[in-house]
Amino acid sequence: MNILGSIRAASGSSARACSRRLCDPGSSRFSASSGLAGPSRVAPFSARTSGTARRTFYSSTVMDYTPTAAIRLPRWVNNTKSGLPRDQRSSDVTDESNSSQTNVRLDGPEDGQTPPPASTPPSTPPSSSSSGDGSDNADPPPSAPPESPPQAPTSITKQSVPETYPQVLALPIARRPLFPGFYKAVVIRNPDVVSAIKEMMRRGQPYLGAFLLKDENADSDIITDINSVHPVGVFAQITSVFTASSNKDGEKEEGLTAVLYPHRRIRITELVKAGQIAKVEPMEAPQEVAATESETQLPTPPPERDGPSMTMQTSFLEKYSVSVVNVDNLATQPYNKDDQYIRAFMSEIVSVFKDIAQLNPLFRDQIANFSINQVASNVFDEPDKLADFAAAVSTGDPNELQDVLESLVVDDRLRKALLVLKKELINAQLQSKLARDVDSKIAKRQREYYLMEQLKGIKKELGMESDGKDKLIEKFKERAASLKMPEGVRKVFDEELNKLMHLEPAASEANVTRNYLEWLTQIPWGQHSPENYSITHAQTVLDEDHYGLKDVKDRILEFLAVGKLRGTVEGKIICLVGPPGVGKTSIGKSIARALNRQFFRFSVGGLTDVAEIKGHRRTYVGALPGKIIQALKRVGTENPLVLIDEVDKIGRGHNGDPASALLEMLDPEQNTAFLDHYMDVPVDLSRVLFVCTANMLDTIPAPLLDRMEVLEVSGYVSEEKAQIASKYLGPQAKEAAGLKDADVQLEPAAVDTLIKYYCRESGVRNLKKHIDKIYRKAALKIVRDLGEEVFPEPAPAPATEAAAVDLSKPEDDSFKVDKQDAPPDTPAAPETSTPHHSAAAESEEKERVVTTVQRQPVKVPDTVHVSITPEALKEYVGPPVYQKDRLYVHPPPAGVSTGLGYLGNGSGAVMPIEAISMPGKGGLQLTGKLGDVIKESSQIALSWVKSHSYELGITKTPEELFLTDKDIHVHMPEGSIGKEGPSAGTALLSAFVSLFTKTKINPDIAMTGEISLVGMVLPVGGLKEKILAAHRAGIKTIIAPAGNRPDIEENVPESVKTGIRFVYVEDVKEVLHEVFRGEPIAERWKDTLSL
């Protein structure tokens, strides 16, 4: 802060001699601007700093740097003597009799800095060429007079800080600027800068300029661009340095920590030398200068460089890649310390200091040190230093602190420092408030805890209440007594209970053990619900819940019959497979109701974590058992029906394969001792009846599918859908729409229209949605037609009546809550909006009345009669989704055949196949969003036709080439629907033969079947849905593979097969004879294409 105990300069003659040695004719600018020598410059400086208070500061110094003799020191910096012990140093200023002495020492405690220790002066007198100018033949400076008595150990001389230092090494500082009078430790990593600082310390020139980087995230030790740093910084002295870090062998230094003491403000005027970023390479240790160095040795001339010239005193920095700048001193503008505004600012700063000191102990210590080290007895005598101190101890924004540093007007500096300090006070207040809140909460909890412990002790002494742990243990014992635990489980229970008895309730292990015992005693060991194996009861329940599904119902009755004879149904896992909406989940519910079992359902669709099946380890926080253990706890019996939904959509992630984890649970040979990770005791799942559901079998893993008995639930035919709609879906939708007792009827003809032209899916879920929509539209129409007079809104009870309501009626209880409405989409501006309510109404609307009274349904008058006909369906559910069943009503042209397809939604469709020929090179083009398999079927059909072209009558001789100059294009409408599968083989072959023989195919004939390359017809799937689509389209003849005959006769209802003639074929020749029956070409085939 203060530069104290400055030393008078040497005598006038010595100063003039020094000036002559330093300044040659070529550096007149520097000598004119420096003005360091002579009493005219030093004396005022000494007078200004005399009488200042002493500061106590001890710093660690680098002891491995050997300062040179006086030959290496600049003439404006006094040489140093050999260091004295620190405890022998004194802050007394030397007498006037020693003012002519050239070798002086810096007083660290007085000036706030500690110079590097000086070596013992060499025995030989210093050479006159120390300035670096060998042409100067001036006499060396006079040494101390021999008759001068030696200094006393308590007397110390001190090195003066140069008042003008026009060219310095520039060191960029990150994050916050330095302020005069306040120490700052910086770490320097750049090897060139580290070497330069070592050289400066060796030469006794420990001075540099510190400037704040503009980029807060940047961190560099050199300045490559003058615009990268703020122009205003500080002139700092390196008081001590020490090694920051080193490698293993301790030879290579990686960095240097320097303690800087800023003296004054400076401004950059010019970047003399820009540093360069160099790679960190091992540096050789600086060689010590021998004490017997030749007095006439000349320094190595610096390398030539473009740009501004460097002064003689900083020319040794030329060989280092460091930043050197020209600077000017910045002096604080004169001020009147008695000015009203300055005193007011200082009073406020002192007041803020006191407030922060009460909140932050660190500030209290810093303020105490500042007060002790303050030179003036009154703090108001140093307003500029007070402002610097306020900025130096705060943690404000770097730009704000830089503004304080750049302020040369005292009142402006005080104002900016006060702003920074105020922000620091706000942060300290907020921190203190948060600390108080946390302390108060902790104190409150501690108080509650102590009081509760005292209350427990009092109640226990009076016998009013036992210990909580004792009650918990007693509860677990009572639960275990009512369960039939296996011997191994009972042993584990006793061990865990004994562990809990010896644990403190506050221990974390006690909570884990308590949770484990909760689960262990809530599993229904030996508890089961009595089962009902009555076949009549089961038949009644299944018929009540489902229509049709004869095969599924028969299989369930067989299952019950076996259970009735054996007394148990252990080891059965049923898998219901079918398209969406056919009632797979509801079948599982019906089985549980028929068996009088508890029902639990969970879905494994998208499940990727094995822990959901097998549970978590107890070591994890928040661990839980698997789903099956949770199911047993929920239902309370060990023989529930567990429905595992969407088993074909189970996933696989980084947490394991849940499908593999299901193997143990669903395997009758293994689930008698199912081991959950959390329970870690065997649990018997053999009495659990597992029912799984899936939409397809392809994605179920083979080992899992092998453990299940698959029951296929196919789609419903139109008659079944109509019965389901009239018996189940219609009444449910009518009641859900509030029309249970109203005369609103959905005619059977309208239901048939819905099934044919709106809902062709295999299931009835989409049909249910349409019926619900019809009844909702009917309810809306009734309310609109009759109006609010018939269906009035119940009037809210007035506040006076609500207050007078008898409190004995809990259903009339009502209260108010804060109103939470959605914000308007386009709110009007406050100045343009018009208030619609008074202030009283506005305050009333801030609350909303909430009641527990259930609203009663409104009865529809008996005079209302609504009948929904097929013609009115468009008004209720929109236009039909399916316009027509057949694309060709009239006979199509040659090359068109009719196939049967199975859609992805579980329904069938009549799919025409179109083929045309055109001039080309014999290529085959396929369109209609066809898959790979159906493309291969087209290739097979065309190849068979080419190989049998002569038999078919397409070519005149067997050797005649066919389709060498024509291309074939095959298209299957509709183009946006993807088509895949082998079942279109017979239809494709018929289309090719029709095209090449120019013979039309009857549109009432549809066909399905896979063909092989030699002409065999192979069986396909989805016959029930395909036949249903053909029945709906009015197809008269269906050509099907002979391998599908048992399936058609067994599974297709007779109502669907009525009016359709089925032709079963094994070879494509039979297909062609049936398709082209009665045509002239068929008569020729009797000879060439015989069966």
Side-chain angles (χ1 to χ4, degrees):
M1 257 184 297
N2 300 312
I3 303 174
L4 305 177
S6 61
I7 311 301
R8 289 184 177 273
S11 61
S13 60
S14 300
R16 286 191 294 272
C18 177
S19 178
R20 285 196 304 271
R21 292 186 180 94
L22 285 176
C23 304
D24 60 358
S27 58
S28 59
R29 177 183 60 82
F30 175 75
S31 63
S33 61
S34 61
L36 295 177
S40 60
R41 297 288 294 178
V42 179
F45 175 74
S46 177
R48 181 173 62 87
T49 59
S50 61
T52 57
R54 295 171 173 81
R55 169 182 293 130
T56 302
F57 175 77
Y58 297 98
S59 61
S60 61
T61 61
V62 177
M63 304 303 297
D64 58 347
Y65 300 116
T66 306
T68 63
I71 184 174
R72 296 299 182 192
L73 299 179
R75 293 310 184 204
W76 61 38
V77 179
N78 297 321
N79 194 11
T80 57
K81 278 191 171 186
S82 58
L84 295 175
R86 179 172 294 177
D87 55 359
Q88 295 180 9
R89 297 180 186 176
S90 174
S91 58
D92 297 333
V93 183
T94 56
D95 297 333
E96 290 295 333
S97 60
N98 296 329
S99 61
S100 60
Q101 186 175 342
T102 58
N103 294 330
V104 294
R105 295 188 63 245
L106 178 65
D107 186 10
E110 182 74 12
D111 202 41
Q113 63 219 6
T114 305
S119 302
T120 305
S123 57
T124 58
S127 173
S128 60
S129 60
S130 61
S131 63
D133 187 2
S135 61
D136 193 354
N137 297 323
D139 296 332
S143 58
E147 63 276 12
S148 175
Q151 286 185 318
T154 57
S155 178
I156 185 170
T157 59
K158 101 181 240 186
Q159 181 181 2
S160 61
V161 177
E163 197 167 324
T164 303
Y165 212 96
Q167 195 174 85
V168 294
L169 181 145
L171 181 67
I173 303 297
R175 297 176 191 80
R176 57 182 291 115
L178 275 63
F179 288 90
F182 300 95
Y183 289 93
K184 173 72 174 181
V186 296
V187 178
I188 303 165
R189 297 291 183 185
N190 190 297
D192 287 322
V193 180
V194 171
S195 300
I197 290 179
K198 290 179 179 179
E199 181 67 17
M200 291 166 56
M201 298 292 290
R202 191 177 67 84
R203 290 171 174 264
Q205 301 180 27
Y207 304 109
L208 52 79
F211 303 93
L212 179 66
L213 287 165
K214 292 183 179 180
D215 186 2
E216 297 182 7
N217 299 321
D219 191 4
S220 175
D221 293 336
I222 58 174
I223 301 175
T224 57
D225 184 10
I226 194 173
N227 296 321
S228 63
V229 296
H230 291 278
V232 177
V234 294
F235 176 77
Q237 179 180 356
I238 306 173
T239 61
S240 60
V241 293
F242 52 89
T243 303
S245 60
S246 61
N247 60 2
K248 294 181 180 180
D249 54 10
E251 295 178 359
K252 172 186 166 184
E253 295 180 351
E254 296 181 357
L256 206 66
T257 299
V259 180
L260 306 181
Y261 179 78
H263 288 282
R264 57 178 176 267
R265 290 170 168 82
I266 56 175
R267 182 190 300 275
I268 297 178
T269 59
E270 185 180 12
L271 180 60
V272 177
K273 180 177 180 294
Q276 297 178 356
I277 300 176
K279 296 182 180 179
V280 179
E281 298 178 352
M283 295 187 305
E284 297 181 357
Q287 298 180 354
E288 295 184 2
V289 180
T292 59
E293 184 180 5
S294 175
E295 299 179 6
T296 60
Q297 182 182 359
L298 296 178
T300 304
E304 295 184 1
R305 175 185 51 82
D306 297 336
S309 62
M310 297 180 62
T311 61
M312 188 66 63
Q313 286 69 30
T314 57
S315 60
F316 68 93
L317 297 176
E318 188 73 47
K319 62 181 179 180
Y320 302 105
S321 180
V322 296
S323 306
V324 180
V325 295
N326 289 337
V327 297
D328 288 340
N329 291 343
L330 295 179
T332 303
Q333 296 184 7
Y335 61 91
N336 183 9
K337 62 183 180 181
D338 295 328
D339 183 81
Q340 180 181 359
Y341 291 99
I342 293 179
R343 297 185 67 85
F345 277 129
M346 297 181 67
S347 299
E348 182 63 21
I349 289 176
V350 172
S351 176
V352 174
F353 268 138
K354 293 179 181 178
D355 295 339
I356 300 178
Q358 295 177 357
L359 302 173
N360 194 338
L362 180 61
F363 265 77
R364 190 181 307 124
D365 297 340
Q366 291 176 335
I367 294 171
N369 291 336
F370 176 74
S371 302
I372 294 173
N373 297 322
Q374 193 65 28
V375 176
S377 59
N378 189 357
V379 73
F380 292 98
D381 292 339
E382 302 286 349
D384 52 344
K385 295 182 180 179
L386 182 64
D388 289 347
F389 172 69
V393 298
S394 64
T395 58
D397 183 72
N399 292 327
E400 295 179 353
L401 298 179
Q402 181 66 24
D403 291 342
V404 176
L405 182 65
E406 295 179 359
S407 299
L408 300 179
V409 182
V410 172
D411 55 350
D412 183 57
R413 188 188 303 175
L414 289 169
R415 181 184 297 105
K416 293 178 179 179
L418 180 60
L419 177 62
V420 173
L421 210 57
K422 281 286 188 181
K423 293 182 179 180
E424 192 74 24
L425 176 60
I426 294 174
N427 292 337
Q429 290 173 345
L430 179 59
Q431 181 181 357
S432 177
K433 180 180 180 301
L434 295 176
R436 288 198 306 271
D437 293 343
V438 173
D439 292 342
S440 62
K441 290 180 180 179
I442 295 176
K444 182 180 179 181
R445 292 177 183 175
Q446 289 293 104
R447 181 173 177 272
E448 292 176 354
Y449 173 76
Y450 290 139
L451 291 177
M452 289 300 297
E453 290 297 321
Q454 292 177 2
L455 183 61
K456 288 180 183 178
I458 294 173
K459 288 184 177 181
K460 193 172 182 180
E461 290 295 330
L462 295 176
M464 299 171 60
E465 180 179 320
S466 61
D467 193 6
K469 186 170 70 173
D470 297 337
K471 292 184 65 177
L472 193 64
I473 294 174
E474 188 66 28
K475 180 184 72 172
F476 288 144
K477 288 183 178 180
E478 292 177 0
R479 284 185 184 177
S482 62
L483 300 174
K484 295 182 179 179
M485 289 185 178
E487 187 63 28
V489 178
R490 175 70 66 176
K491 182 178 179 181
V492 173
F493 171 77
D494 294 338
E495 291 176 356
E496 294 293 328
L497 191 65
N498 186 45
K499 183 197 298 184
L500 183 63
M501 294 172 61
H502 294 85
L503 287 174
E504 289 295 328
S508 59
E509 184 67 20
N511 190 37
V512 174
T513 305
R514 182 179 64 83
N515 291 336
Y516 178 72
L517 289 174
E518 288 278 358
W519 282 100
L520 198 62
T521 55
Q522 286 181 349
I523 295 179
W525 304 100
Q527 297 179 349
H528 61 276
S529 58
E531 294 173 319
N532 186 355
Y533 292 125
S534 172
I535 303 299
T536 306
H537 171 72
Q539 184 74 51
T540 304
V541 170
L542 293 175
D543 290 340
E544 285 178 357
D545 296 342
H546 296 86
Y547 180 86
L549 302 178
K550 183 177 181 302
D551 295 339
V552 178
K553 292 180 180 178
D554 291 345
R555 180 65 189 86
I556 295 172
L557 294 178
E558 295 171 4
F559 173 76
L560 296 179
V562 173
K564 189 179 185 68
L565 297 177
R566 291 188 58 204
T568 179
V569 290
E570 295 179 359
K572 295 299 179 183
I573 292 94
I574 300 175
C575 181
L576 303 175
V577 180
V582 296
K584 299 184 294 296
T585 303
S586 59
I587 290 175
K589 295 180 181 178
S590 299
I591 297 174
R593 193 158 72 92
L595 287 173
N596 191 31
R597 288 196 176 199
Q598 296 281 71
F599 178 80
F600 182 85
R601 172 193 170 273
F602 71 94
S603 176
V604 294
L607 191 69
T608 59
D609 193 357
V610 174
E612 293 292 330
I613 305 296
K614 298 275 291 179
H616 301 83
R617 303 287 182 186
R618 271 187 288 166
T619 54
Y620 298 130
V621 177
L624 286 175
K627 284 290 185 182
I628 188 62
I629 303 297
Q630 297 179 30
L632 294 178
K633 174 189 174 184
R634 181 77 59 84
V635 299
T637 61
E638 63 177 4
N639 64 336
L641 187 146
V642 177
L643 180 71
I644 305 176
D645 224 348
E646 311 293 349
V647 75
D648 60 327
K649 301 176 183 63
I650 193 167
R652 183 173 186 175
H654 65 280
N655 290 326
D657 185 9
S660 300
L662 282 176
L663 297 178
E664 180 185 358
M665 188 173 74
L666 299 181
D667 191 348
E669 302 298 330
Q670 300 181 32
N671 61 10
T672 54
F674 176 76
L675 194 64
D676 185 89
H677 289 162
Y678 182 86
M679 303 306 302
D680 207 21
V681 293
V683 181
D684 186 8
L685 302 180
S686 60
R687 304 192 65 176
V688 178
L689 178 58
F690 292 99
V691 177
C692 305
T693 67
N695 296 124
M696 59 185 69
L697 300 176
D698 300 340
T699 56
I700 301 177
L704 182 61
L705 187 63
D706 184 61
R707 286 163 169 78
M708 300 186 292
E709 182 178 353
V710 179
L711 297 181
E712 186 174 351
V713 185
S714 58
Y716 300 100
V717 298
S718 299
E719 288 76 9
E720 292 174 337
K721 286 185 178 180
Q723 292 294 331
I724 293 172
S726 61
K727 291 183 178 181
Y728 304 101
L729 305 181
Q732 292 174 4
K734 189 176 180 180
E735 183 178 357
L739 303 173
K740 182 178 181 181
D741 300 327
D743 187 11
V744 179
Q745 300 297 329
L746 180 62
E747 294 185 359
V751 176
D752 292 339
T753 305
L754 276 176
I755 295 171
K756 289 182 180 180
Y757 298 103
Y758 290 88
C759 310
R760 290 186 179 178
E761 297 82 5
S762 298
V764 293
R765 184 174 290 133
N766 193 31
L767 179 61
K768 181 179 185 300
K769 293 178 182 178
H770 281 75
I771 294 176
D772 290 343
K773 188 175 182 180
I774 289 172
Y775 280 107
R776 288 197 305 268
K777 286 287 185 70
L780 176 61
K781 186 176 181 181
I782 292 173
V783 173
R784 280 182 174 174
D785 293 345
L786 299 181
E788 295 292 336
E789 293 79 9
V790 180
F791 305 105
E793 279 293 306
T800 56
E801 295 184 13
V805 171
D806 187 7
L807 296 178
S808 63
K809 299 179 180 180
E811 62 272 12
D812 294 339
D813 188 17
S814 62
F815 53 93
K816 293 183 179 181
V817 296
D818 294 339
K819 190 174 182 180
Q820 298 290 339
D821 287 338
D825 293 336
T826 55
E831 61 270 9
T832 60
S833 59
T834 304
H836 299 284
H837 307 285
S838 61
E842 197 171 303
S843 62
E844 186 70 21
E845 285 186 357
K846 291 182 179 179
E847 294 182 345
R848 178 164 288 165
V849 177
V850 179
T851 181
T852 58
V853 179
Q854 295 291 332
R855 182 165 178 161
Q856 299 300 322
V858 180
K859 186 178 184 302
V860 179
D862 297 335
T863 57
V864 176
H865 303 282
V866 178
S867 180
I868 302 167
T869 61
E871 293 76 13
L873 280 180
K874 187 175 181 181
E875 180 184 351
Y876 287 91
V877 291
V881 178
Y882 306 98
Q883 300 297 331
K884 54 185 177 180
D885 294 306
R886 297 172 62 174
L887 185 63
Y888 294 100
V889 181
H890 302 288
V896 177
S897 65
T898 304
L900 297 175
Y902 180 81
L903 302 181
N905 59 0
S907 64
V910 176
M911 305 175 64
I913 298 175
E914 303 171 341
I916 62 172
S917 63
M918 66 197 80
K921 297 181 180 180
L924 176 62
Q925 184 178 359
L926 303 170
T927 57
K929 202 175 182 181
L930 308 181
D932 293 337
V933 177
I934 203 168
K935 289 179 181 179
E936 293 173 357
S937 298
S938 302
Q939 295 284 355
I940 294 172
L942 185 59
S943 298
W944 190 91
V945 172
K946 285 182 179 181
S947 63
H948 296 79
S949 59
Y950 175 72
E951 290 85 348
L952 293 172
I954 301 173
T955 60
K956 296 180 180 179
T957 62
E959 293 81 10
E960 182 181 348
L961 297 177
F962 175 51
L963 290 179
T964 57
D965 56 349
K966 291 183 179 181
D967 286 346
I968 306 299
H969 186 173
V970 178
H971 178 68
M972 298 179 65
E974 302 170 0
S976 62
I977 300 175
K979 306 166 189 69
E980 180 62 299
S983 61
T986 56
L988 285 166
L989 189 142
S990 301
F992 288 146
V993 174
S994 173
L995 174 66
F996 299 143
T997 60
K998 298 181 175 58
T999 306
K1000 297 182 180 180
I1001 298 177
N1002 188 351
D1004 291 335
I1005 298 176
M1007 62 201 79
T1008 181
E1010 180 183 356
I1011 62 172
S1012 67
L1013 197 57
V1014 296
M1016 296 180 62
V1017 179
L1018 307 178
V1020 293
L1023 265 299
K1024 182 178 180 180
E1025 289 77 13
K1026 294 177 181 178
I1027 295 172
L1028 181 60
H1031 175 77
R1032 189 170 53 242
I1035 299 295
K1036 301 295 189 297
T1037 302
I1038 294 179
I1039 301 174
N1044 290 115
R1045 185 168 188 166
D1047 184 22
I1048 295 174
E1049 292 178 352
E1050 180 70 21
N1051 296 326
V1052 179
E1054 291 296 330
S1055 59
V1056 176
K1057 294 186 288 186
T1058 302
I1060 299 177
R1061 184 174 67 92
F1062 289 90
V1063 178
Y1064 301 102
V1065 297
E1066 294 181 352
D1067 192 271
V1068 294
K1069 297 177 183 179
E1070 301 178 33
V1071 176
L1072 295 177
H1073 279 282
E1074 181 64 34
V1075 169
F1076 296 99
R1077 180 186 300 272
E1079 298 293 337
I1081 191 67
E1083 296 297 328
R1084 182 178 182 275
W1085 290 346
K1086 292 181 180 179
D1087 299 329
T1088 60
L1089 200 67
S1090 60
L1091 299 176

